[in-house]
Each structure stands twice: as C-alpha cells, then as structure tokens.
Amino acid sequence: MTLAPYACQPEQSRGRLYPETMSTFRSPFQRDRDRIIHSSAFRRLKHKTQVFVEHEGDYYRTRLTHTIEVAQVARTIAGHLGLNTDLAEAVALAHDLGHPPFGHTGEDALAELMKPYGGFDHNAQAIRIVTKLERHYAGFDGLNLTWETLEGIAKHNGPVIGPNASGSHAVGDPALLPYALAEFNAQYDLELQTQASAEAQVAAVADDVAYNHHDLHDGLRAGLFTEADLMDLPVTGPCFAEVDRLYPGLDPSRRRHEALRRVFGVMVEDVIAVAQNRLQSSMPQSAQEIRDMPGPIIRFSKPLYQNLKAIKSFLYARMYRAPTVVVERQRVTAMIDDLFPLFLNEPSQLPEEWQADVACAKDETALARVVLDYVAGMTDRFAIQEHERLCAPG
C-alpha cells in the first residue's frame, strides 16, 4: 500500500539508540511491533485490570484485551487514512505497558507514594520498560525501539511540555517531567514539545474508542446500570433505538451487542471523517508537518466529543465511582500502600534478580525507583498474593 506523504515512512525512520542492521523481511516498525508483543511486560497485561480487579470475572476486559482492541481500531483508522499501520499498531500495543496493578487506582496510589522521588506516570513508565527494564537482548537493555515508536509511546496523548502541552500527561514545565521520562529524554531527545506523529495520534484516539465502548459493555455486565439508563444518553440512546426499530423483540444479549457495536462504529467513522477533512484542508506534505501543528489532526468532531463527555460523566458516576468499585479501590490502594514502604524499608524482600539493582542504588530516591519498577510491574494477581504473604496478620 502506498503511504500518504504525511505518514511516517519506514525507510526514513530516525533509527534506534543502538544501531542495528536492517531486517531482511520486516520494516523497522514491524520489528518494533514484534518486540513489543514478545516482551515480558506485554504478557503481564493479561492479569492487569481495567476497572474491575483481575479475579472478579473472566468476561471483564483486562489490559491485554483492551490493548488488542486498541491495536485493531488503530490499524483500521490508520489504514483508511494512508498512514503507516505498523507504527500505529506498535504504539497501540505499547501504550499501556507502564500501567501498574489495579488500573488507575494503582497508578494514583503509586503517584502519591512517588511524589518525593520524582513522580510516577504510566506513559513515562512505559518508556522506562521498553528502554531499560526489559533485559533479554545481548547488546542493550530494553527493546531498542525506533525513535518514532518511542515518541509515540511518550506523547501520543499530546505534547508533554512547552506552550502546546495538552492531555492528561502534560506537565508544561520540563522541570516537572516524571523522572523516568526526563532521564531517557536527556539521552535520546523525543521532542516532547511537539505533537506526535499522525500514527501515534491515531493510537490515542483508538484508546478512547476502545474504552468508551468496552466500559459500557462491562458496566452493563456488572449490573452497575441498565440498557434503559443508556437510552437517555447521546449516541447510545439512538443506537439502541435503531436496533429496536430494525430488530423488534431481539433477545437482550444480542440487542446489547448490536447497539454497542453501532456506538463503536459511530466513533470510528467520526474520527475518519474529521481526519480526512482536516488533512485535505491543511495538506501536510510530511510527518514533520503533522508534528509541528499547534494541535492534533486526529480527533473527534466537536459535537461527538461533547456527547462522549456526557457518556464519560455517566460512567464516572455510575461505574468508576460506584459504591462497590469504591470499596475495591480502597482495598487495593491499601495493598499498594503496604507493599511499597515494606520493600523500601526491607529491600532484601525483593527477589534475588532485583538485588543487583538494589546494590546499585546510592540513595533512598534511587532505591525507591527500584521498588517502583518492581511494584508497578506486578499483575493484580501477584500483588494480591504478595500482600497476603508479606502483610497478612500472623
């Protein structure tokens, strides 16, 4: 497939921190994708949660199933826009590698614990994982991904620093960068002040599409709200009404699936239509022109964005802050609050393979970062087991 001029061309990649010979049968971005899939961190996503803790049910999404859904959406959108589907997929597959156990609850707990030691952010931790903590290759630590993939992981949500900084991971002031990102960026400049490539922007929007869709599905399955509640919301209400018109009397399970896949389609079609219009009007001639724009070129239309905000507000009230979920959040926060200081005060409790890192830690900050790497890498299941082993009374 011929790529658009504003796509990231694999033969024009800025390369890798540690130079390697080109593969005879894979492009640089295909190679990145494959390394991510074969990483230990990717496999651990199987037992890391989205909203519900890993053991609560086999049908709820985990970080792994979410990531696969994001990658599928990213390939669809990128392919339709003439972008590099392999790069979009690689960024999508890596975008959640830095998430700790227990989803955003675990991230909030670790961010609070790491305030004295340089902070915590899951995008920054993903960079640390793919550049340092994966230790399988003879010639380097990490996966030695291309600059373009690393850039996408670091800033797919928008510029992190500078006047155009935007998104939940933006800090504006470089002095406020999470240490994990600041440390690597000083070694290999990812141009954190610019927009990401169009492919990385596609991965970010695909993330929104996937979780808006599956959080509705998981919330219904958990009984936190009903289909009747969704009839009153924008997007979801019309989709259910259309299914009822086309398939009157459809059984509840099929009705739910048919309606929510239409919600999915509305989001994807909107993103593609908006991107096509914006690309045609601005006519960028290179990937760098995309990066130099003041805002993202891949995004929802303003009307749909407002409608999705209404859906998110509903999910926040009825799902993310549902009483049963809040109780579970408190329980798992307490686990993280127990485990982190325990390992910080008794680093000998860390596994043998981590003791070399402990020995290299010259002060409490360095040791805290080793402990963070260990705790953040835990799955839900393992964190629960370790807490039971180390912190249970008696």
Side-chain angles (χ1 to χ4, degrees), residues 23 34 50 84 90 102 110 127 134 183-184 207 214 275 278 298 325 329 342 346 379 386:
S23 170
D34 297 349
Q50 281 291 110
N84 192 299
F102 312 129
L110 286 175
I127 288 291
E134 288 286 327
E183 189 175 72
F184 182 74
D207 186 25
H214 63 54
R278 290 170 59 79
I298 312 294
V325 175
R329 280 175 58 91
L342 185 151
E346 301 179 48
T379 63
E386 284 295 272

Side-chain angles (χ1 to χ4, degrees), residues 10 16 20-36 38 86 137:
R16 307 175 188 275
E20 298 183 51
T21 56
M22 288 285 290
S23 170
T24 56
F25 56 91
R26 291 178 296 171
S27 77
F29 305 143
Q30 289 172 333
R31 207 173 189 183
D32 285 356
R33 175 200 61 205
D34 297 349
R35 288 183 179 184
I36 291 163
H38 289 286
D86 296 320
Y137 296 87

Side-chain angles (χ1 to χ4, degrees), residues 267 270-271 273-275 299-308:
M267 291 187 284
D270 181 86
V271 169
V274 170
R299 63 189 188 191
F300 296 113
S301 65
K302 289 182 179 179
L304 182 61
Y305 179 74
Q306 292 302 318
N307 287 337
L308 293 178

Side-chain angles (χ1 to χ4, degrees), residues 171-222:
V171 296
D173 183 354
L176 299 177
L177 278 174
Y179 82 93
L181 185 54
E183 189 175 72
F184 182 74
N185 196 62
Q187 183 182 15
Y188 199 38
D189 185 8
L190 298 177
E191 299 177 4
L192 300 176
Q193 73 282 2
T194 68
Q195 301 293 329
S197 66
E199 287 85 354
Q201 293 181 36
V202 163
V205 171
D207 186 25
D208 287 346
V209 170
Y211 74 68
N212 280 324
H213 169 258
H214 63 54
D215 282 0
L216 288 167
H217 203 282
D218 285 351
L220 286 169
R221 179 177 286 277

Side-chain angles (χ1 to χ4, degrees), residues 78-149:
H80 203 80
L81 297 176
L83 298 171
N84 192 299
T85 56
D86 296 320
L87 176 58
E89 183 179 24
V91 175
L93 290 169
H95 86 282
D96 267 357
L97 291 181
H99 266 290
F102 312 129
H104 291 288
T105 303
E107 179 168 14
D108 292 344
L110 286 175
E112 185 65 29
L113 289 163
M114 283 297 293
K115 276 184 177 178
Y117 309 113
F120 176 76
D121 170 89
H122 74 254
N123 279 358
Q125 189 68 13
I127 288 291
R128 186 165 171 84
I129 287 168
V130 301
T131 62
K132 184 179 179 68
L133 299 181
E134 288 286 327
R135 295 169 180 170
H136 306 296
Y137 296 87
F140 46 79
D141 286 342
L143 306 180
N144 199 32
L145 304 176
T146 61
W147 185 92
E148 290 79 8
T149 298

